[in-house]
């Protein structure tokens, strides 16, 4: 028994070391810009770089647009599948998993072929069109996470009965979605939103191939030309991701509690 | 006679190749409380859902106040509904739940607040306005669901097994409360249940359903005492069924467990030699002779169950056991198993099931 426990702790320690050591190393390296002393100089350089601010803001805006479009697409779809087309669920699960199987580079080449300037919908012909195309690409990349999060949220509530209750009180579909379904899956939607945010902030392939000034390509560019700043940027990127994860935990505390706990 | 408030005319419903409701007809007067009573799968909830608009009839029409609502969407019918699973919106407080229908209808804030207060007073939960559903007991949640359904002043109230998820004590008190509120508001109500006691105790009329059809529609007294079919007789209340053979159709005698029983006027249409089933409610049978009881059978006490105010006795009569109820009397000891006895009943209480 005691030997088992020792082995368990040993494996836990190894796992922690495996994940933490590179991060600690990166963090330590990011502090070494000034000779013979730890400093935050690399962070100051990165945060003071106008390209950091521009690319970061661009990616934040793209993430927000992706989340908005993703929610508008996924919530009604997942709701309708649960309510009216439950036999479609395996198909929907498969469809929403496809972005994990098909590499982003394949998706983006497909986009470029379909929406180039000589196509029927020349989205790549303008900056705004390319932004829209990139945003839809991000929606696709985030689909597995967003769909699963929302579907899990819907599973926790009695979708059919709540819908019928709202209908019997005079509510139409838009009211039902906006006032009954969405508020009750808000935490699930937020979880999906934070995951989407983390994905969009770090995404490189699509933004680079569509030549958009996003944060991912900026990180790559900095990594190729500087020493300490990329380490600082990696730590910042990790902090953003962890911040998103922490927010998921925080908002999940505010989920509407299912009834029937007290009798 | 005035037109019925709710008229269900030749309604049928099929799911694929399976027909679950067959030519269902029912007229309900304004202010009436009608229960759909039947076992699981008898089609009672399907009929209710067609009235609510959640299912579309395969055939037939549903009229409310003379207007055909068969093809109207549920949110256009102004019909309130209470569900077995309460279906309160978990993200809204009690007051917001009750005011939901009014808010959807575009009522002013002041009107909503006034109506919510009225409804909370009606269900005797005025202090619960700011609570969330998870903070309420099952009985409280169902009362809030009732208030929510009534708040927009619906034309019709539908109750889909609203008491099934509650414990026995709460069920009894809540069903009385539902009936009292229904009478106070005078709202036409359809109540679906599989519990005969519930249906018998609170309904103006009961539609007993089986196999997608209404077997009998009538007042509780009529349903219980004069069941129209063998199913109704068996489903509603406890029934003793004895098989017999008509020994003399003209004299009205039937041989049951090797003993002759006289059933004058009960054997219309029967011929000597016919076999038939005789049904008797436990409370219509007495141990020993009793004034007004003109028929008797000899038997042996087989079992005695003390139920408090009532003692249920089983008497073996020719290989069959007959249940009968006697009131508990502290000065009279209960019957003893194995004692020879005689049971008596009035031939007028016998139901002949062909």
């Amino acid at each position: 028994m005691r030997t088992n426990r020792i082995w368990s702790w040993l494996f836990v320690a190894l796992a922690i070391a495996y994940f933490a050591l590179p991060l600690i190393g990166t963090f330590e390296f990011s502090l070494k810009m000034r000779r013979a002393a730890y400093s935050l100089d690399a962070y100051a350089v990165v945060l003071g770089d106008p390209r950091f601010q521009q690319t970061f803001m661009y990616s934040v805006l793209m993430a927000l647009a992706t989340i908005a479009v993703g929610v508008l697409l996924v919530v009604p779809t997942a709701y309708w599948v649960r309510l009216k087309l439950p036999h479609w669920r395996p198909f929907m699960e498969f469809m929403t998993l496809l972005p994990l199987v098909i590499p982003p580079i394949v998706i983006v080449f497909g986009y470029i072929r379909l929406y180039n300037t000589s196509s029927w919908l020349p989205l790549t012909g303008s900056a705004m069109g390319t932004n829209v195309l990139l945003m839809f690409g991000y929606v696709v990349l985030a689909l597995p996470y967003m769909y699963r999060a929302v579907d899990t949220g819907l599973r926790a509530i009695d979708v059919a009965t709540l819908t019928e209750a709202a209908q019997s009180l005079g509510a139409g579909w838009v009211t039902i979605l906006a006032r009954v379904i969405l508020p009750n899956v808000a935490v699930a939607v937020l979880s999906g939103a934070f995951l989407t945010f983390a994905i969009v902030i770090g995404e490189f392939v699509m933004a680079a191939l569509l030549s958009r000034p996003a944060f991912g390509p900026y990180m790559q560019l900095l990594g190729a030309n500087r020493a300490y700043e990329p380490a600082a940027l990696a730590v910042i990127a990790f902090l953003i991701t962890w911040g998103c994860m922490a927010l998921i935990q925080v908002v999940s505390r505010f989920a509407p509690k299912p009834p029937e706990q007290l009798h | 006679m005035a037109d019925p408030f709710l008229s269900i005319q030749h309604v049928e419903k099929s799911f694929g190749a399976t027909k679950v409701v067959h030519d269902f007809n029912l007229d309900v007067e304004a202010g009436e409380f009608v229960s759909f009573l039947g076992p699981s799968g008898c089609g009672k909830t399907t009929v209710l859902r067609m009235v609510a608009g959640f299912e579309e009839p395969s055939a037939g029409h549903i009229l409310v106040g003379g207007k055909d609502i068969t093809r109207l969407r549920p949110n256009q019918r102004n019909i309130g509904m209470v569900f077995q699973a309460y279906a309160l919106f978990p993200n809204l407080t009690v007051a917001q739940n009750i005011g939901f229908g009014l808010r959807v209808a575009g009522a002013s804030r002041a009107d909503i607040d006034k109506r919510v207060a009225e409804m909370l007073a009606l269900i005797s939960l005025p202090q619960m306005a700011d609570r969330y559903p998870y903070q309420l007991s099952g009985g409280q949640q169902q009362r809030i669901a009732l208030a929510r359904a009534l708040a927009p002043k619906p034309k019709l109230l539908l109750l889909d097994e609203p008491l099934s998820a509650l414990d026995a004590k709460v069920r009894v008190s809540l069903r009385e409360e539902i009936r009292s509120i229904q009478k106070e508001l005078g709202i036409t109500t359809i109540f679906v249940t599989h519990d005969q006691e519930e249906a018998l105790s609170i309904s103006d009329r009961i539609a007993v359903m089986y196999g997608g059809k209404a077997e009998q529609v009538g007042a509780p007294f009529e349903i219980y005492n004069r069941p129209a079919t063998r199913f109704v007789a068996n489903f509603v209340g406890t029934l003793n069924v004895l098989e017999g053979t008509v020994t003399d159709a003209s004299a009205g005698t039937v041989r049951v467990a090797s003993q002759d029983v006289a059933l004058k006027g009960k054997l219309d249409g029967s011929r000597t030699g016919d076999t038939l089933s005789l049904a008797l409610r436990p409370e219509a049978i007495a141990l020993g002779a009793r004034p007004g009881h003109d028929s008797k059978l000899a038997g042996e006490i087989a079992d005695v169950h003390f139920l408090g105010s009532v003692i249920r006795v089983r008497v073996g009569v020719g290989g069959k056991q007959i249940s009968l109820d006697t009131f508990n009397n502290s000065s009279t000891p209960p019957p003893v198993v194995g004692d020879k006895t005689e049971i008596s009943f009035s031939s007028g209480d016998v139901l002949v099931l062909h």
Side-chain angles (χ1 to χ4, degrees), chain A residues 174-210:
Chain A
V174 175
T175 309
I176 292 170
L177 268 170
R179 291 195 194 164
V180 177
I181 300 302
L182 197 55
N184 282 301
V185 295
V187 170
V189 168
L190 278 173
S191 299
F194 290 131
L195 285 169
T196 304
F197 189 85
I199 290 166
V200 172
I201 290 295
E203 204 283 329
F204 168 75
V205 176
M206 285 192 167
L209 288 172
L210 288 172

Side-chain angles (χ1 to χ4, degrees), chain A residues 157-158 161-173 175-176 179-180 183-184 256-263, chain B residues 49 54 74-75 79-81 83 85-91 100-101 103-104 133-138 141 148-149 152:
Chain A
I157 58 173
D158 187 348
T161 315
L162 289 181
T163 300
E164 288 177 355
Q167 282 181 311
S168 72
L169 293 164
W173 292 116
T175 309
I176 292 170
R179 291 195 194 164
V180 177
N184 282 301
K257 292 180 180 64
E260 299 169 273
Q261 289 186 348
L262 298 171
H263 275 278
Chain B
R49 290 174 61 79
F54 301 134
N75 59 330
I79 292 176
M81 185 147 171
F83 300 83
Y86 321 137
L88 294 179
F89 306 128
N91 57 312
F100 185 89
R103 201 173 157 207
V104 168
Y134 77 91
Q135 295 171 311
L136 305 172
S137 70
Q141 286 187 58
R148 182 181 66 175

